[in-house]
């Protein structure tokens, strides 16, 4: 059976900042620039989740997109949308809220429930602004 | 010689529905949701066709984009644009018009004429809405 | 108090065709071109609804966007999304499903409930493809 | 001399929230929904500034776009980009950070310096997400 | 009869520069910046043409979009697409190729043939980059 | 350590043409079509540069995006933005300015300085119009 990839986009709006508490204000500003602003800033994040697998004979779907969307919302969006990534999100605890860490954490939230659907998570893409995005394909 | 990938986008607008004639109305609604509406719905589909190959010495092109566009139009677009994917399209006969099946059928339409140009079809991406798309890279 | 305009986008996917039953097949093809395909075609429509008014002192909002979104969904989207504009939509009965008529019909669906919110409908924009859209601002 | 409109887009990423300190938690949640989250959320805002005027004979420009961009950056972007709209922005003091108030405050920042260029500010458009934006054309 | 606006987008790719032959190199660089490069630069221009009028009873169209598209192509696109705006375009002769002048010249090319269709040209919008565009609505 | 991909977009506007001096006018027109116009045409090019690597423990970044942006600007953008790709760009000397050659040349400009940052260049994507782009991943 041929392997097909299918991608679902979801969106969330969140606050965050990049700063290390064990660094001086100067060091934070030097390394993280304007992202270190103590009073936070924020983004409209776009999230693309790509799943791969064989088609199910009954429907010709790799995955039911409404099931996939429900999982992404339950495991990711409701935890991060209109939240503070550094204060409000259990799955980001202990990690700086870089786009890299966010993509990895989202992968960890999604890999297992997507496998339980009979297909597999292929990639997570997190776009922070129109000029930069991160992709993660698992360890 | 280095391998380069080049992608051409084309667009088409089509009607379709997702329903199995051998299922009850209830079963169709349960599995296919609003996509099962008997009177059809439709989309503006976007199609990206990615070709890979070496550069031709005379032009430095992997493929002449106007040739590639002509092939996509002759083999795909003129068959599906302003058509009903379930009633009007010979290359979709016997398949549900899921985006998965559409991507595979478009691959089958394009692989041979693109190979005849001296390069090879790398991938077909079909975007159904701004929130979902399917990619197929061959069996 | 200053007047402010606020716009909400919603989307729907629908099938339709442009043909007059009182015309011959040839006349339909001549005037409506590929839009006259008897087996329908379809689009991802984008709808922008612009409301104007003074700000409410309690919230500084012209309108609560979730209220506006609810009205658009109840009065428009649930009637047209994943539907056939010519067969399934009560508010399109007796009109060809041109984008012009669709914009006017959507205006008629929205003007009164938006006025009931204490602001006024300023404009309706319906985008059929990336290359064309219609705007209507009332009679 | 004919009147021409010219528009410049700039972008900024900021944190904010919508809540009234004189309201209960319940009342804030009821009116402002998820926007009331005490730990903030944020957006990638897009700002379109439209200027109108006659063309300058020497250049045929209504306005030098690099001058216009410089004014928008000095008067708006550097105050809001990677900032908290409710804590860090002098020109938002005493106003809820609704998109309506933001558009009006940006208008007030820009009207005078643009008039000093010999043209006039026609409109300010602030887009908060892909689904909603506010326009303001002055009192 | 209600007035409806309908907009058609077309695209063209062209080279141009901004420099006055009666100015020194220094003065050109000072006023026109990098746009003064003697060897030209170029853009993918997007053109939106907005027409307004009453609906035609036979079709409910304000204008047949394929007729409108044909006029835009014949009067504008074929003259500017893959051309040099300063060397190749008769309707730009004697004008600097600023976006302001381009929008006015395109208006002049289109107003009459659109009036001959029984509707009227409402506006021309020319987008030069994702960050700036010009609109012209006639003298 | 997991491998993460991060992508930065930059933009440039340039003039170019596709023609061989050793071919007749007829042959150039036949092969390169309207791209052969002797007086040039131009595009708004979009450039996506994808870098891959492990995360740096101090910041959790694969690469500091402002460093990456600086390298892309110094090595590519300042050489091509508002320039003529065929006349002004040292790194394009001796190559036709096809999108294929442009992507390869940009790869050659970027591979070494990105390796010096401790990560590696994964891919270069150059988009010439909304309908076509080229990707290059190295020899």
């Amino acid at each position: 059976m041929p392997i097909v990839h299918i991608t679902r986009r979801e969106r969330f709006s969140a606050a965050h900042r990049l700063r290390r508490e064990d660094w001086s204000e100067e060091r934070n500003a030097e390394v993280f620039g304007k992202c270190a602003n103590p009073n936070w800033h924020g983004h409209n994040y776009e999230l693309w989740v790509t799943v791969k697998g064989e088609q199910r004979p009954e429907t010709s779907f790799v995955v039911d997109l409404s099931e996939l969307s429900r999982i992404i919302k339950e495991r990711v969006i409701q935890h991060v949308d209109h939240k503070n990534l550094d204060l409000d999100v259990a799955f980001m605890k202990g990690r700086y809220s870089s786009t890299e860490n966010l993509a990895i954490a989202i992968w960890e939230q999604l890999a297992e429930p997507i496998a339980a659907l009979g297909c597999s998570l292929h990639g997570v893409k997190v776009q922070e602004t129109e000029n930069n995005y991160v992709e993660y394909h698992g360890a």
Side-chain angles (χ1 to χ4, degrees), chain A:
Chain A
M1 281 288 284
I3 296 297
V4 181
H5 293 73
I6 186 160
T7 298
R8 174 75 189 171
R9 184 186 73 133
E10 301 286 346
R11 300 177 299 115
F12 59 97
S13 294
H16 87 127
R17 69 183 182 193
L18 290 173
R19 51 190 297 127
R20 288 182 59 150
E21 295 308 319
D22 58 336
W23 282 2
S24 68
E25 192 60 39
E26 291 68 30
R27 181 83 179 118
N28 272 303
E30 188 191 320
V31 174
F32 293 118
K34 57 190 181 180
C35 298
N37 179 39
N39 286 331
W40 321 95
H41 65 284
H43 298 289
N44 299 329
Y45 290 91
E46 291 188 75
L47 168 63
W48 285 264
V49 176
T50 301
V51 163
K52 76 176 168 195
E54 296 181 354
Q55 294 179 279
R56 302 180 189 175
E58 277 215 332
T59 58
S60 80
F61 291 165
V62 168
V63 67
D64 181 327
L65 277 175
S66 60
E67 264 184 286
L68 178 59
S69 176
R70 182 184 51 75
I71 286 172
I72 303 172
K73 280 176 181 142
E74 279 178 18
R75 301 280 299 179
V76 180
I77 303 300
Q78 70 173 32
H79 301 282
V80 292
D81 188 33
H82 285 74
K83 300 291 186 191
N84 185 309
L85 299 180
D86 299 303
L87 300 180
D88 297 330
V89 183
F91 68 70
M92 290 297 291
K93 278 283 147 59
R95 319 192 206 206
Y96 316 125
S97 55
S98 65
T99 317
E100 286 91 334
N101 276 345
L102 193 52
I104 293 172
I106 290 171
W107 173 282
E108 292 168 2
Q109 287 297 105
L110 293 175
E112 204 173 297
I114 285 171
L117 294 178
C119 48
S120 66
L121 179 57
H122 173 72
V124 160
K125 174 177 162 183
V126 180
Q127 180 136 6
E128 199 188 59
T129 76
E130 66 184 39
N131 290 328
N132 52 287
Y133 62 83
V134 161
E135 290 163 299
Y136 184 60
H137 296 90

